[in-house]
mmCIF file of all heavy atoms in Angstrom:
data_model
loop_
_atom_site.group_PDB
_atom_site.id
_atom_site.type_symbol
_atom_site.label_atom_id
_atom_site.label_comp_id
_atom_site.label_asym_id
_atom_site.label_seq_id
_atom_site.Cartn_x
_atom_site.Cartn_y
_atom_site.Cartn_z
ATOM 1 N N THR A 11 130.688 108.888 162.365
ATOM 2 C CA THR A 11 129.267 109.137 161.978
ATOM 3 C C THR A 11 128.535 107.845 162.196
ATOM 4 O O THR A 11 129.081 106.786 162.205
ATOM 5 C CB THR A 11 129.083 109.543 160.507
ATOM 6 O OG1 THR A 11 129.509 108.520 159.682
ATOM 7 C CG2 THR A 11 129.906 110.853 160.274
ATOM 8 N N GLU A 12 127.181 107.985 162.346
ATOM 9 C CA GLU A 12 126.368 106.729 162.449
ATOM 10 C C GLU A 12 126.613 105.855 161.196
ATOM 11 O O GLU A 12 126.580 104.625 161.401
ATOM 12 C CB GLU A 12 124.871 107.059 162.526
ATOM 13 C CG GLU A 12 124.398 107.506 163.889
ATOM 14 C CD GLU A 12 124.492 106.509 164.975
ATOM 15 O OE1 GLU A 12 124.317 105.271 164.700
ATOM 16 O OE2 GLU A 12 124.430 106.873 166.200
ATOM 17 N N ASP A 13 126.731 106.401 160.035
ATOM 18 C CA ASP A 13 126.905 105.598 158.879
ATOM 19 C C ASP A 13 128.264 104.843 158.965
ATOM 20 O O ASP A 13 128.334 103.632 158.501
ATOM 21 C CB ASP A 13 127.036 106.511 157.589
ATOM 22 C CG ASP A 13 125.655 107.081 157.273
ATOM 23 O OD1 ASP A 13 124.611 106.659 157.681
ATOM 24 O OD2 ASP A 13 125.656 108.151 156.476
ATOM 25 N N MET A 14 129.318 105.399 159.477
ATOM 26 C CA MET A 14 130.603 104.723 159.640
ATOM 27 C C MET A 14 130.574 103.647 160.669
ATOM 28 O O MET A 14 131.326 102.639 160.622
ATOM 29 C CB MET A 14 131.701 105.734 159.956
ATOM 30 C CG MET A 14 131.991 106.822 159.017
ATOM 31 S SD MET A 14 133.096 108.000 159.796
ATOM 32 C CE MET A 14 134.677 107.350 159.432
ATOM 33 N N ALA A 15 129.700 103.730 161.645
ATOM 34 C CA ALA A 15 129.789 102.974 162.904
ATOM 35 C C ALA A 15 129.573 101.425 162.650
ATOM 36 O O ALA A 15 130.029 100.649 163.425
ATOM 37 C CB ALA A 15 128.747 103.354 163.868
ATOM 38 N N ASP A 16 128.850 101.092 161.592
ATOM 39 C CA ASP A 16 128.524 99.646 161.306
ATOM 40 C C ASP A 16 129.177 99.082 160.030
ATOM 41 O O ASP A 16 128.919 97.991 159.634
ATOM 42 C CB ASP A 16 127.028 99.535 161.195
ATOM 43 C CG ASP A 16 126.416 99.920 162.525
ATOM 44 O OD1 ASP A 16 126.808 99.398 163.494
ATOM 45 O OD2 ASP A 16 125.500 100.690 162.526
ATOM 46 N N ILE A 17 130.132 99.879 159.448
ATOM 47 C CA ILE A 17 130.918 99.335 158.343
ATOM 48 C C ILE A 17 132.051 98.431 158.867
ATOM 49 O O ILE A 17 132.796 98.784 159.793
ATOM 50 C CB ILE A 17 131.519 100.457 157.500
ATOM 51 C CG1 ILE A 17 130.430 101.254 156.899
ATOM 52 C CG2 ILE A 17 132.410 99.887 156.452
ATOM 53 C CD1 ILE A 17 130.842 102.546 156.221
ATOM 54 N N MET A 18 132.237 97.200 158.324
ATOM 55 C CA MET A 18 133.307 96.342 158.737
ATOM 56 C C MET A 18 134.207 96.158 157.458
ATOM 57 O O MET A 18 133.956 95.335 156.619
ATOM 58 C CB MET A 18 132.759 94.982 159.187
ATOM 59 C CG MET A 18 133.865 94.137 159.774
ATOM 60 S SD MET A 18 133.309 92.492 160.356
ATOM 61 C CE MET A 18 131.585 92.706 160.873
ATOM 62 N N PRO A 19 135.302 96.994 157.451
ATOM 63 C CA PRO A 19 136.197 96.841 156.311
ATOM 64 C C PRO A 19 136.838 95.515 156.210
ATOM 65 O O PRO A 19 136.996 94.804 157.271
ATOM 66 C CB PRO A 19 137.265 97.947 156.562
ATOM 67 C CG PRO A 19 136.694 98.819 157.590
ATOM 68 C CD PRO A 19 135.707 97.991 158.294
ATOM 69 N N LYS A 20 137.285 95.105 155.055
ATOM 70 C CA LYS A 20 138.034 93.826 154.942
ATOM 71 C C LYS A 20 139.268 93.822 155.886
ATOM 72 O O LYS A 20 139.941 94.842 156.069
ATOM 73 C CB LYS A 20 138.522 93.805 153.500
ATOM 74 C CG LYS A 20 139.197 92.441 153.101
ATOM 75 C CD LYS A 20 139.566 92.409 151.686
ATOM 76 C CE LYS A 20 140.520 91.307 151.475
ATOM 77 N NZ LYS A 20 140.234 90.220 150.625
ATOM 78 N N GLY A 21 139.465 92.667 156.541
ATOM 79 C CA GLY A 21 140.568 92.548 157.406
ATOM 80 C C GLY A 21 140.223 92.836 158.897
ATOM 81 O O GLY A 21 140.993 92.557 159.757
ATOM 82 N N PHE A 22 138.985 93.217 159.138
ATOM 83 C CA PHE A 22 138.504 93.531 160.507
ATOM 84 C C PHE A 22 137.410 92.549 160.898
ATOM 85 O O PHE A 22 136.646 92.139 160.029
ATOM 86 C CB PHE A 22 137.998 94.940 160.698
ATOM 87 C CG PHE A 22 139.082 96.057 160.547
ATOM 88 C CD1 PHE A 22 139.479 96.528 159.378
ATOM 89 C CD2 PHE A 22 139.873 96.390 161.717
ATOM 90 C CE1 PHE A 22 140.443 97.454 159.240
ATOM 91 C CE2 PHE A 22 140.900 97.258 161.545
ATOM 92 C CZ PHE A 22 141.193 97.822 160.339
ATOM 93 N N ASN A 23 137.457 92.205 162.192
ATOM 94 C CA ASN A 23 136.390 91.229 162.674
ATOM 95 C C ASN A 23 135.133 91.844 163.189
ATOM 96 O O ASN A 23 134.110 91.154 163.364
ATOM 97 C CB ASN A 23 137.013 90.392 163.871
ATOM 98 C CG ASN A 23 138.185 89.553 163.420
ATOM 99 O OD1 ASN A 23 138.270 89.099 162.248
ATOM 100 N ND2 ASN A 23 139.188 89.379 164.215
ATOM 101 N N ASN A 24 135.272 93.166 163.503
ATOM 102 C CA ASN A 24 134.081 93.835 164.088
ATOM 103 C C ASN A 24 133.987 95.308 163.576
ATOM 104 O O ASN A 24 134.931 95.687 162.885
ATOM 105 C CB ASN A 24 134.145 93.833 165.616
ATOM 106 C CG ASN A 24 133.579 92.488 166.137
ATOM 107 O OD1 ASN A 24 132.535 92.050 165.886
ATOM 108 N ND2 ASN A 24 134.421 91.730 166.923
ATOM 109 N N THR A 25 132.975 95.925 164.036
ATOM 110 C CA THR A 25 132.743 97.392 163.537
ATOM 111 C C THR A 25 133.185 98.363 164.605
ATOM 112 O O THR A 25 133.493 97.998 165.748
ATOM 113 C CB THR A 25 131.274 97.539 163.296
ATOM 114 O OG1 THR A 25 130.530 97.373 164.544
ATOM 115 C CG2 THR A 25 130.786 96.607 162.291
ATOM 116 N N ILE A 26 133.118 99.605 164.270
ATOM 117 C CA ILE A 26 133.390 100.661 165.292
ATOM 118 C C ILE A 26 132.369 100.597 166.440
ATOM 119 O O ILE A 26 132.741 100.647 167.609
ATOM 120 C CB ILE A 26 133.406 102.055 164.640
ATOM 121 C CG1 ILE A 26 134.694 102.196 163.717
ATOM 122 C CG2 ILE A 26 133.394 103.119 165.668
ATOM 123 C CD1 ILE A 26 134.713 103.460 162.821
ATOM 124 N N ARG A 27 131.116 100.489 166.109
ATOM 125 C CA ARG A 27 130.075 100.415 167.178
ATOM 126 C C ARG A 27 130.347 99.262 168.064
ATOM 127 O O ARG A 27 130.234 99.465 169.344
ATOM 128 C CB ARG A 27 128.668 100.290 166.453
ATOM 129 C CG ARG A 27 127.573 100.445 167.600
ATOM 130 C CD ARG A 27 126.212 100.336 166.922
ATOM 131 N NE ARG A 27 126.027 100.988 165.767
ATOM 132 C CZ ARG A 27 125.614 102.232 165.580
ATOM 133 N NH1 ARG A 27 125.358 102.983 166.759
ATOM 134 N NH2 ARG A 27 125.431 102.840 164.356
ATOM 135 N N TRP A 28 130.709 98.100 167.482
ATOM 136 C CA TRP A 28 131.022 96.997 168.447
ATOM 137 C C TRP A 28 132.169 97.304 169.356
ATOM 138 O O TRP A 28 132.085 96.965 170.585
ATOM 139 C CB TRP A 28 131.252 95.715 167.593
ATOM 140 C CG TRP A 28 131.511 94.489 168.454
ATOM 141 C CD1 TRP A 28 130.486 93.600 168.894
ATOM 142 C CD2 TRP A 28 132.730 94.059 169.166
ATOM 143 N NE1 TRP A 28 131.121 92.706 169.756
ATOM 144 C CE2 TRP A 28 132.483 92.917 169.887
ATOM 145 C CE3 TRP A 28 134.033 94.512 169.050
ATOM 146 C CZ2 TRP A 28 133.479 92.315 170.576
ATOM 147 C CZ3 TRP A 28 134.991 93.912 169.731
ATOM 148 C CH2 TRP A 28 134.739 92.750 170.535
ATOM 149 N N ASN A 29 133.191 97.922 168.858
ATOM 150 C CA ASN A 29 134.416 98.216 169.720
ATOM 151 C C ASN A 29 134.117 99.163 170.796
ATOM 152 O O ASN A 29 134.577 99.023 171.960
ATOM 153 C CB ASN A 29 135.572 98.684 168.808
ATOM 154 C CG ASN A 29 136.369 97.586 168.171
ATOM 155 O OD1 ASN A 29 137.303 97.006 168.766
ATOM 156 N ND2 ASN A 29 135.939 97.203 166.891
ATOM 157 N N ILE A 30 133.250 100.155 170.538
ATOM 158 C CA ILE A 30 132.838 101.112 171.627
ATOM 159 C C ILE A 30 132.049 100.381 172.633
ATOM 160 O O ILE A 30 132.325 100.567 173.817
ATOM 161 C CB ILE A 30 132.006 102.186 170.937
ATOM 162 C CG1 ILE A 30 132.840 103.066 169.956
ATOM 163 C CG2 ILE A 30 131.462 103.150 172.084
ATOM 164 C CD1 ILE A 30 131.995 103.998 169.073
ATOM 165 N N GLY A 31 131.057 99.541 172.208
ATOM 166 C CA GLY A 31 130.274 98.883 173.208
ATOM 167 C C GLY A 31 131.153 97.931 174.010
ATOM 168 O O GLY A 31 130.906 97.682 175.207
ATOM 169 N N HIS A 32 132.078 97.287 173.315
ATOM 170 C CA HIS A 32 133.020 96.281 173.969
ATOM 171 C C HIS A 32 133.722 96.972 175.048
ATOM 172 O O HIS A 32 133.985 96.431 176.153
ATOM 173 C CB HIS A 32 133.851 95.540 173.000
ATOM 174 C CG HIS A 32 134.605 94.479 173.557
ATOM 175 N ND1 HIS A 32 134.114 93.295 173.955
ATOM 176 C CD2 HIS A 32 135.945 94.418 173.768
ATOM 177 C CE1 HIS A 32 135.116 92.514 174.432
ATOM 178 N NE2 HIS A 32 136.247 93.247 174.309
ATOM 179 N N ILE A 33 134.271 98.200 174.847
ATOM 180 C CA ILE A 33 134.988 98.934 175.867
ATOM 181 C C ILE A 33 134.175 99.096 177.080
ATOM 182 O O ILE A 33 134.565 98.837 178.191
ATOM 183 C CB ILE A 33 135.446 100.343 175.255
ATOM 184 C CG1 ILE A 33 136.636 100.091 174.350
ATOM 185 C CG2 ILE A 33 135.935 101.161 176.499
ATOM 186 C CD1 ILE A 33 136.888 101.442 173.478
ATOM 187 N N LEU A 34 132.886 99.553 176.895
ATOM 188 C CA LEU A 34 131.993 99.669 177.992
ATOM 189 C C LEU A 34 131.692 98.400 178.745
ATOM 190 O O LEU A 34 131.713 98.328 179.984
ATOM 191 C CB LEU A 34 130.540 100.214 177.459
ATOM 192 C CG LEU A 34 130.559 101.645 177.117
ATOM 193 C CD1 LEU A 34 129.390 101.972 176.194
ATOM 194 C CD2 LEU A 34 130.507 102.499 178.329
ATOM 195 N N ILE A 35 131.488 97.399 178.029
ATOM 196 C CA ILE A 35 131.144 96.017 178.635
ATOM 197 C C ILE A 35 132.252 95.546 179.462
ATOM 198 O O ILE A 35 132.062 95.081 180.597
ATOM 199 C CB ILE A 35 130.675 94.986 177.532
ATOM 200 C CG1 ILE A 35 129.356 95.289 177.085
ATOM 201 C CG2 ILE A 35 130.809 93.612 178.067
ATOM 202 C CD1 ILE A 35 128.214 95.140 178.203
ATOM 203 N N VAL A 36 133.489 95.456 178.967
ATOM 204 C CA VAL A 36 134.599 95.004 179.675
ATOM 205 C C VAL A 36 134.881 95.746 180.980
ATOM 206 O O VAL A 36 135.073 95.204 182.015
ATOM 207 C CB VAL A 36 135.895 94.869 178.771
ATOM 208 C CG1 VAL A 36 137.066 94.651 179.636
ATOM 209 C CG2 VAL A 36 135.654 93.874 177.798
ATOM 210 N N GLN A 37 134.800 97.067 180.926
ATOM 211 C CA GLN A 37 134.981 97.917 182.081
ATOM 212 C C GLN A 37 133.925 97.491 183.084
ATOM 213 O O GLN A 37 134.177 97.414 184.269
ATOM 214 C CB GLN A 37 134.890 99.365 181.643
ATOM 215 C CG GLN A 37 135.423 100.338 182.681
ATOM 216 C CD GLN A 37 136.923 100.401 182.798
ATOM 217 O OE1 GLN A 37 137.504 99.446 183.408
ATOM 218 N NE2 GLN A 37 137.593 101.261 182.131
ATOM 219 N N ASP A 38 132.738 97.433 182.607
ATOM 220 C CA ASP A 38 131.588 97.059 183.576
ATOM 221 C C ASP A 38 131.777 95.706 184.161
ATOM 222 O O ASP A 38 131.528 95.510 185.342
ATOM 223 C CB ASP A 38 130.262 97.182 182.735
ATOM 224 C CG ASP A 38 129.005 97.284 183.649
ATOM 225 O OD1 ASP A 38 129.023 98.078 184.697
ATOM 226 O OD2 ASP A 38 128.037 96.436 183.389
ATOM 227 N N GLN A 39 132.108 94.726 183.347
ATOM 228 C CA GLN A 39 132.276 93.414 183.864
ATOM 229 C C GLN A 39 133.440 93.284 184.857
ATOM 230 O O GLN A 39 133.344 92.525 185.768
ATOM 231 C CB GLN A 39 132.427 92.411 182.680
ATOM 232 C CG GLN A 39 131.125 92.221 181.926
ATOM 233 C CD GLN A 39 131.291 91.306 180.708
ATOM 234 O OE1 GLN A 39 132.323 91.208 180.122
ATOM 235 N NE2 GLN A 39 130.172 90.707 180.392
ATOM 236 N N LEU A 40 134.552 93.983 184.574
ATOM 237 C CA LEU A 40 135.679 93.932 185.479
ATOM 238 C C LEU A 40 135.276 94.470 186.874
ATOM 239 O O LEU A 40 135.562 93.952 187.933
ATOM 240 C CB LEU A 40 136.853 94.777 184.996
ATOM 241 C CG LEU A 40 137.643 94.103 183.837
ATOM 242 C CD1 LEU A 40 138.658 95.088 183.192
ATOM 243 C CD2 LEU A 40 138.266 92.814 184.234
ATOM 244 N N ALA A 41 134.482 95.687 186.841
ATOM 245 C CA ALA A 41 134.040 96.160 188.089
ATOM 246 C C ALA A 41 133.033 95.296 188.868
ATOM 247 O O ALA A 41 133.079 95.173 190.079
ATOM 248 C CB ALA A 41 133.339 97.514 187.811
ATOM 249 N N SER A 42 132.181 94.552 188.114
ATOM 250 C CA SER A 42 131.217 93.662 188.801
ATOM 251 C C SER A 42 131.872 92.323 189.222
ATOM 252 O O SER A 42 131.732 91.904 190.281
ATOM 253 C CB SER A 42 129.991 93.386 187.927
ATOM 254 O OG SER A 42 130.350 92.726 186.753
ATOM 255 N N ASN A 43 132.659 91.717 188.291
ATOM 256 C CA ASN A 43 133.259 90.404 188.576
ATOM 257 C C ASN A 43 134.382 90.419 189.509
ATOM 258 O O ASN A 43 134.611 89.399 190.243
ATOM 259 C CB ASN A 43 133.672 89.727 187.312
ATOM 260 C CG ASN A 43 132.517 89.448 186.365
ATOM 261 O OD1 ASN A 43 131.370 89.370 186.724
ATOM 262 N ND2 ASN A 43 132.804 89.301 185.107
ATOM 263 N N PHE A 44 135.108 91.504 189.560
ATOM 264 C CA PHE A 44 136.368 91.448 190.419
ATOM 265 C C PHE A 44 136.273 92.468 191.547
ATOM 266 O O PHE A 44 137.113 92.289 192.582
ATOM 267 C CB PHE A 44 137.548 91.775 189.501
ATOM 268 C CG PHE A 44 137.912 90.666 188.473
ATOM 269 C CD1 PHE A 44 137.328 90.801 187.275
ATOM 270 C CD2 PHE A 44 138.559 89.615 188.929
ATOM 271 C CE1 PHE A 44 137.466 89.710 186.328
ATOM 272 C CE2 PHE A 44 138.792 88.516 187.970
ATOM 273 C CZ PHE A 44 138.253 88.673 186.708
ATOM 274 N N VAL A 45 135.326 93.395 191.563
ATOM 275 C CA VAL A 45 135.156 94.401 192.586
ATOM 276 C C VAL A 45 133.970 94.169 193.362
ATOM 277 O O VAL A 45 133.840 94.469 194.559
ATOM 278 C CB VAL A 45 135.295 95.822 192.073
ATOM 279 C CG1 VAL A 45 135.178 96.884 193.183
ATOM 280 C CG2 VAL A 45 136.570 96.039 191.311
ATOM 281 N N GLY A 46 132.986 93.604 192.730
ATOM 282 C CA GLY A 46 131.677 93.290 193.392
ATOM 283 C C GLY A 46 130.657 94.450 193.253
ATOM 284 O O GLY A 46 129.655 94.392 193.794
ATOM 285 N N LEU A 47 130.921 95.346 192.353
ATOM 286 C CA LEU A 47 129.904 96.389 192.059
ATOM 287 C C LEU A 47 128.809 95.841 191.197
ATOM 288 O O LEU A 47 128.978 94.973 190.397
ATOM 289 C CB LEU A 47 130.534 97.595 191.320
ATOM 290 C CG LEU A 47 131.639 98.383 192.116
ATOM 291 C CD1 LEU A 47 132.257 99.381 191.238
ATOM 292 C CD2 LEU A 47 131.072 98.951 193.388
ATOM 293 N N PRO A 48 127.569 96.418 191.357
ATOM 294 C CA PRO A 48 126.481 95.939 190.452
ATOM 295 C C PRO A 48 126.734 96.291 188.996
ATOM 296 O O PRO A 48 127.337 97.399 188.714
ATOM 297 C CB PRO A 48 125.287 96.634 191.055
ATOM 298 C CG PRO A 48 125.768 97.758 191.882
ATOM 299 C CD PRO A 48 127.223 97.428 192.312
ATOM 300 N N GLN A 49 126.317 95.476 188.107
ATOM 301 C CA GLN A 49 126.541 95.697 186.660
ATOM 302 C C GLN A 49 125.699 97.009 186.339
ATOM 303 O O GLN A 49 124.530 97.146 186.864
ATOM 304 C CB GLN A 49 126.172 94.676 185.792
ATOM 305 C CG GLN A 49 127.236 93.629 185.658
ATOM 306 C CD GLN A 49 126.969 92.694 184.509
ATOM 307 O OE1 GLN A 49 126.265 91.638 184.611
ATOM 308 N NE2 GLN A 49 127.505 93.009 183.340
#
């Protein structure tokens, strides 16, 4: 849920929303930096 997405429980460095966005970013950066596709 949107409410859960930004909670950072003790012992974690980031939130659920950050992890989802990070998956997207890394995939996009690998495609642009190593394959040459536009971001």
Side-chain angles (χ1 to χ4, degrees):
T11 65
E12 283 290 340
D13 291 339
M14 296 169 90
D16 297 309
I17 297 171
M18 191 181 327
K20 184 176 167 121
F22 291 92
N23 296 327
N24 279 304
T25 63
I26 290 173
R27 188 182 316 273
W28 183 91
N29 278 277
I30 297 167
H32 185 69
I33 289 168
L34 283 161
I35 282 297
V36 168
Q37 195 74 279
D38 195 47
Q39 289 177 332
L40 288 173
S42 65
N43 295 340
F44 295 92
V45 181
L47 296 175
Q49 278 195 273

